[in-house]
Amino acid sequence: MSAVLQNLIDQPYKHGFVTDIESDVVPKGLNESVIRSISARKNEPEWLLEFRLTAYRHWLTMTEPTWPNVTYPPIDFQDISYYSAPKPKKKLASMDEVDPELLRTFEKLGVPMHEQAALAGVAVDVIFDSVSVTTTYKKKLADVGVIFCSFSEAVHEHPELIRKYLGSVVPAGDNFYAALNSAVFTDGSFCFIPKGVKCPMELSTYFRINTQESGQFERTLIVAEEGASVSYLEGCTAPQFDTNQLHAAVVELVALDRASIKYSTVQNWYAGDENGVGGIYNFVTKRGLCQGVDSKISWTQVETGSAITWKYPSCVLLGDNSVGEFYSVALTNHLQQADTGTKMVHIGKNTRSTIISKGISAGRSNNSYRGLVKIAASAHGARNFSQCDSMLIGDRCSASTFPYIQVQNNGAKVEHEATTSKIGEDQLFYFASRGIDPEEAVSMIINGFVKDVFTQLPMEFAVEAGRLLGLKLEGSVG
Amino acid sequence: MAETTSGARTFLDSLLAGAEAGSDALKTLRARALERANALSVPTTRHEEWRFTDLTPLSRMAFRQATAGAALDASAIAHWTVPEAATRLVFVDGHFSVALSSIVSVDGVRVERLADAFATGNAVLASHLGQIAGFEHDPFVAANTARLADGVLVHATRNAFAAQPIHCLFVSTQADVVQQARVLVVAEDGASVTILEDHVATHDGAYCVNAVVEIDVGANARVRHVKLQRDGKKAFHLATTAARVARDGTYSNLAVTLGARLSRNNVHVLQGGTGTHFELDGLALIDGRQLADTRTFVDHAQPHGTSRQLHKCVVGGGAHAVFNGRILVREDAQKTDSTQESRNLLLSEKAHVDTKPQLEIFADDVKCAHGAAVGQLEAEEVFYLMSRGLSESVSRSLLTYGFAADIVGRIGIPSIVRQLDAAVVERTGGQEIA
C-alpha cells in the first residue's frame, strides 16, 4: 500500500512559475524610513503613517514567538524587501487592458479571469503582488451600497471607516507578526456591507506572491453592519522559489447586530520541494469580532500549501447569542509544518461555537491542531462543540493536538473530541472487494474524511478545494 | 525555568535545608540533585507547564523542615487504618514511626524503610533510586532527592505476589513545616503488588508535602498504585509519580484529590518495552478556594502499548481544577491504542476548569482518541429524579455522587471505597442520600 500512497502523495507543485513582470521594489531592510517610504509611495494620510510607526515601535520591543510546534531557521527581518508593486501602475478600466502576461498567469492556475468574471455572481479583486490591478463588478456592488475595493483605495475614499475599524479586532501590538504587518502592510482588501444589505454575490480575492524574496503583508478588513451578510472567498497560490518567503497577513472581521460573515480560504502557497527547500512561511493573524447580538462569523479553511503554516482564525463572541464556527482541513506533505487551529472566546450570553478540524499528514510532515475554547464568567449558557480528527499517511509524519479548554462559567457546556487514524488495510481491502482500485479508494476515503468541512465551502471553492487535495494527494479526486 | 523570585527561592531553600549523612552513593545522588535544585528556580505561570497554577502563595509561606514531633498515639490514626492492609508504614511529619508501623512479611516481597536499606546497602537502590523520577528539570523532585533520608522501599522479587495492599501513610501533625515523602517500588518480572499512598493531617494549619514516588515494573509484572491525597485544607501538596514499565507489564494509577489548598500531581509513565498496559484514573473533588492541578504524561515509546485514562473533576465553591494530559506516541510505537477522557462538573458559578488533553503522535498505525467535557448537571436528569419524588438538592447530590463514584468504585479496596464514599457524600450534599 505504501508504494501506491507514496506515488499519490508525491505530486509535484503544478502552480510553480515566475511571471516576468517588471516590479517596483523598495530596498531590503526595515526601519522607520522604509515605513515612511512605503507610506509615501501609497500617498497615505498622516494618521495611517502614525499607526504604522506605533506598530513598528511596538514590534521592536517584541520577540518572535517560539511556542508553535514548528522549526525553521531564524528569519532575518532586515533581509526582506517590504514593498513591491508591478508596473505599469496606471488604472485599468476593462479586462482587455490587463497585462497579457498577468492574464496568462491566471490561466495557468486554472482560473482564467474571464471565466471567473463570467461565473455567476463572483467579483474578483485581483491582488497581484500587493497592489490591486483591477476590480470587477464594482458597479453592481455599489448599487446596493456594498464597498469592495483594495485597501489603499479605501484609505483614500473611506478614511472614516478605515480609521474606525482598522486595528479594532487585531490591535497593532497584538502579536509579533501582527505588529510587523501593521507596520509594513502594503495592500489588501476592504469590504463594507451597510445596514440590512445582503451582499448579492460571493466576494473573492486572489492573492499572489510574485517578486522573489518579497514578503507579502496583506491587510483585510470586512465590516458587516446591522443585519448585513456577506460571504468572502480567499484563494492563494504562489510560484516556485528556492528562498523562503515570509507571508504575514492580518484579517479583521467585524459583525454588528444580526450580521453574518462567512470567510472561506483555500491556501496553496508553494510548500517547498520534497527536501523542504523553499516554500512560504505563512504566519497569519485572523480574527473576527461578533460585536453585536445574534451575529455570526464562520471561518472555513483548506490549508494545503506553505512550508510552515501558523494561523488561528478566531472568533470573539462578544454579543449575546452570537455564533462562531471554524471548519478546517489542513494537509501537510514532505517536510511541511502546520500549527493551526482556532480560538473561540465566549463573552456574551448564550454564545455558541463549533470547531471541526481535519488534519492529514503525509511524508515527513508535522501537523498540529492548537485551539482555545474560553468561556468567560459572563458567558451564561455558552455552548461549544469541538472535533479534531487526524489522519496519518506514512510512519514518518506526526499529528498533534493541543486543545486548551478554559471554563469559568458553570452554565456553559463544552465538549471536545479528538481521534487519530490511518487508512486501514481493511478499508482498502473492502474497496478492493468491490472492484475499486487503491487509488480511487484512497481518494474516496480522504473525501469522506474531509466531507464535513467541504460541505461548508461555497460551490466554486468546493470544486477548487477538491482539485487542490487532488494535486496534493492523488491523480484525481473522485 | 529561567526566572527566579526571591520569595520562591526562599521556599526552595527551606526545602533544601539540612541534608543528612548516608552512604557514598547516596551522597553523590544527593549532591547531584542539590546542584540541580540550586540551579533551578520555582516555576511561574509564564512556564507553559505551570500556566494555570500560580505558586506565589507558596513562596509567601515561611516553612521550615519538619522535625520529629511528639509521638502520635495509635488512636489518632485509627480511622485512617486500612483493615485490608496488614503492612503499614507510617511517617509522621516525614519521620518514620516505629510504634505505628507494622510490617508483615510476604514471601518474595520485601518492605522496608529506605533508611534501613541505605544502611544495609541494598543493591536495588543503586540501580533504581533517583533514576526513574528525573530531577534535571524539576526543582521539587530535585529538592526531594537532595534531602533524601528516609521513605519506603517495596521490593518484589521475581513472580512474587502480594495479595494485600501495602499502606504508606504520611501524617502531618505540625503547621508551617515542609515534609518530604519518598517511595520506591521495584517489581521484578512477573511480580504483583498494590501500593496505597495516603496523605492525611491531624490539624488545620498550613504545611507543605513534597512527595516523589518511583515505580519500576518488570516484564509481565503488575503494579497497582492508589494515591489518596487527603491533606488539610490549607496545605500545599507537590507530588511526582514516575513509573517505568517493561515488556507486557501493567501499571495502574488511581489518584483521588480531596485536600490541600494547592495541589499539583505529576504522573509520568514511560513505556520501556512492548505490549505494556497503563491505566490512569483520577478524581478531584474540590471546593472553597482549592486548586487541584493534575498533569499526566503517558510516553508510548515502544510498540503495542495500550493506555486507558479517565480523569474527573467535581468543582464547587470558587475552586479551580486544572488537568493537562499529554499522550506521546513516539516514532516507532506502532499499534499503540490509547484513550483519554477528561470529564468536569462545575457545581457553582465561581468554579472553573482549565483542561488540556494533548496528543502528540509520530507513528501512523495507532488508535488514539481523547475527549474532554465541561458542564453542569443535566437539567433533564435532575428533573427525572425529581419526578420520582426526590427533592432537587437530593437529586443533585445523587447525580454528583454518581459522577464521582465511578472512579471511587475502581479502587478495589473495600474499606477505602467506604471511606471515600462517605467523603464524597459529605461533599456532594450531606447526609440526605446516605
Side-chain angles (χ1 to χ4, degrees), chain B residues 40 51 112 127 149 166 191 196 199 232 251 293 296-298 307 377:
Chain B
L40 295 165
R51 213 170 132 180
E112 61 181 331
S127 53
I166 293 153
L196 175 61
H199 299 267
Y251 172 68
D293 181 351
T296 63
F297 175 26
V298 175
S307 62
L377 294 171

Side-chain angles (χ1 to χ4, degrees), chain A residues 399 401 403-405 407 414 416 418, chain B residues 48 352-353 355 357 359 361 370 372:
Chain A
T401 3
Y404 289 75
I405 300 166
V407 182
V414 177
H416 172 96
Chain B
E48 178 62 26
H352 69 287
V353 165
T355 178
L359 277 177
I361 297 165
H370 68 199

Side-chain angles (χ1 to χ4, degrees), chain A residues 394-420 422, chain B residues 48 51-52 331 334 348 352-359 361-362 364-365 368-376 378:
Chain A
D395 59 0
R396 285 291 164 259
C397 52
S398 72
S400 307
T401 3
F402 305 91
Y404 289 75
I405 300 166
Q406 301 171 11
V407 182
Q408 302 188 345
N409 184 301
N410 73 322
K413 197 170 169 187
V414 177
E415 287 172 275
H416 172 96
E417 284 173 23
T419 62
T420 300
K422 68 164 205 159
Chain B
E48 178 62 26
R51 213 170 132 180
F52 305 108
E331 256 188 29
Q334 299 292 4
S348 69
H352 69 287
V353 165
D354 293 303
T355 178
K356 184 182 164 204
Q358 181 179 335
L359 277 177
I361 297 165
F362 294 85
D364 64 335
D365 193 6
C368 289
H370 68 199
V374 183
Q376 57 183 345
E378 290 286 343

